[in-house]
Structures are given as C-alpha cells and as structure tokens.
Amino acid sequence: HLVPEVSTRYPYTVFNERVFLMHDVILYDFGVKRSIIDSLVQRGCAVTVVPQNTPAEEVLKRNPSGVVLSNGPGDPAVLGEIADQVKALMGKAPILGICLGHQILGLAVGAKTIKLPFGHHGVNHPVQDVATQKVEISSHNHGFAVAEETLPKSVRATHRSLYDGTLEGMSDPGENWFSVQFHPEAAPGPHDSLHIFDQFFRMMAEKNPHRRDG
C-alpha cells in the first residue's frame, strides 16, 4: 500500500494566471506526475490537488468541472476504500483516470485487477483505439492491469495493447468517465496521446457549458 507514502498531505492549487481559466479540476494525488498537472493547466484549468483519501463528499462540495485520478505506485487491489469514494463520484462530475487511476476506476465498477506476467515499461508501446483502429505510440509504466473480461456490460473497452492485448482504456459514457492505462502526458514524449486531455476538456465543457464564460 504505497499510495499514502507518495500522496500530498494537504490540498494545493495550480493555475497559470496568463491563461484564461475555463474549468476547476480536482486531481486525486496517488503519486501524480507534474506533467499531468501541466497538461491540464495549459488547457485553462485551475487544478486543485487533493490527498488520496479525500472523501467524495468533500470533492463534490467544491463543485468541480471534472475530476482526475492520477498515476501512482503499488497494487491497486489494496485500494478498495479509495475505489468506494470514486464510485460515489461517478455520474456527478466528468472523470479521467490515468494509469493507477484507470485501475481504480475498474475496481469502482466491480472489475478485477491482475498482475501482468511481464509489466509494461518504456516509451514505445503501441496501443490501438478500438473505435477508429488508429495506433498510437505511448509511454507505459505499470505491472498491473484491469481484467477486461470482468468489466460490467455498461463499460466498453476503448484501447488495447498491440503487444499482449491488455486493456489500455475504457469508458462509460452514461456515467461520464473514461480512462487510459498509458501516460498521455509523457514528458519528453511520445505525444501521440495528448488528445486525451482535449477529450476530457470537451467532456467538461459539455457538462458545464457556462463555467468561466466571462
């Protein structure tokens, strides 16, 4: 259970005063990479980073445009309490999960996680968008994955690894969330998947059409 060791202990907010602020985002820190925060700030988000054990009720009181679940270390199977809080957020605000955040979303919908016989590490992993068949080169750093066959029917697979077929992305449009197992914010690259943040931004805009409208 490594997440408490790397998560922030106190909330803090990051924004760029030179960028017009469009959305207030709550980001759960499970070991977040600064490049995730930067990717959101560059798109006009004020990002409030909160500790890993922040209750859903407290997040909803802030009335965020969206919620991001960050990457982080360790076995996701021990994060049941966090998954319960995430479940309470589903349908209340748009959610984007990245890496460990993707796995926590899987747990929240009742899926199981597995330990991969060979973890995915490095910057040249091909993943395929299920809908478009487009292949993107992506950055990975994970030894666990969501078992696709355990997903409920409402959740659809959006990306798969072309190495071993591992589930690399999923979504539930009815509950307004989606996630990716890889790192779209990879720094210094590859940058094939930066559009994931644009997709999240559009989701927040559709849900909150009058936020920060001047």
Side-chain angles (χ1 to χ4, degrees):
H1 198 348
L2 302 176
V3 168
E5 298 182 24
V6 296
S7 177
T8 183
R9 295 187 178 184
Y10 305 100
Y12 63 93
T13 301
V14 183
F15 64 94
N16 186 341
E17 60 185 11
R18 297 182 180 181
V19 176
F20 182 71
L21 298 180
M22 294 290 292
H23 294 290
D24 297 304
V25 172
I26 297 293
L27 188 151
Y28 271 88
D29 179 10
F30 305 132
V32 67
K33 293 169 63 179
R34 178 65 192 226
S35 49
I36 291 178
I37 298 174
D38 291 344
S39 296
L40 294 165
V41 168
Q42 290 165 7
R43 288 164 174 78
C45 297
V47 181
T48 298
V49 183
V50 299
Q52 49 89 27
N53 58 350
T54 302
E57 181 180 2
E58 184 175 325
V59 170
L60 294 174
K61 284 181 180 178
R62 295 175 180 264
N63 192 30
S65 298
V67 176
V68 176
L69 311 177
S70 85
N71 62 294
D75 185 346
V78 302
L79 303 178
E81 293 183 4
I82 293 175
D84 288 342
Q85 298 305 314
V86 170
K87 185 175 182 179
L89 293 171
M90 287 180 169
K92 307 289 178 57
I95 301 174
L96 166 63
I98 297 173
C99 200
L100 182 63
H102 160 86
Q103 297 164 3
I104 290 172
L105 278 166
L107 295 173
V109 298
K112 296 185 182 302
T113 56
I114 57 173
K115 183 172 175 58
L116 296 172
F118 302 100
H120 293 183
H121 306 282
V123 295
N124 291 305
H125 286 256
V127 296
Q128 187 170 46
D129 185 307
V130 173
T132 66
Q133 300 297 295
K134 179 182 177 181
V135 177
E136 299 175 8
I137 301 303
S138 56
S139 175
H140 291 232
N141 189 23
H142 63 104
F144 296 85
V146 176
E148 183 176 344
E149 65 275 10
T150 67
L151 291 175
K153 293 182 179 180
S154 61
V155 178
R156 67 187 187 194
T158 60
H159 296 80
R160 292 194 184 94
S161 166
L162 293 186
Y163 281 155
D164 58 11
T166 297
L167 179 70
E168 294 289 346
M170 58 186 181
S171 72
D172 186 340
E175 293 293 320
N176 227 25
W177 65 262
F178 71 103
S179 63
V180 290
Q181 178 66 78
F182 49 92
H183 286 268
E185 83 297 338
H191 297 150
D192 292 18
S193 302
L194 279 173
H195 64 87
I196 294 294
F197 292 102
D198 297 325
Q199 181 181 342
F200 181 57
F201 193 92
R202 290 193 298 270
M203 180 181 284
M204 290 192 292
E206 291 171 3
K207 185 72 173 178
N208 307 276
H210 302 299
R211 288 299 272 270
R212 306 285 187 180
D213 58 2

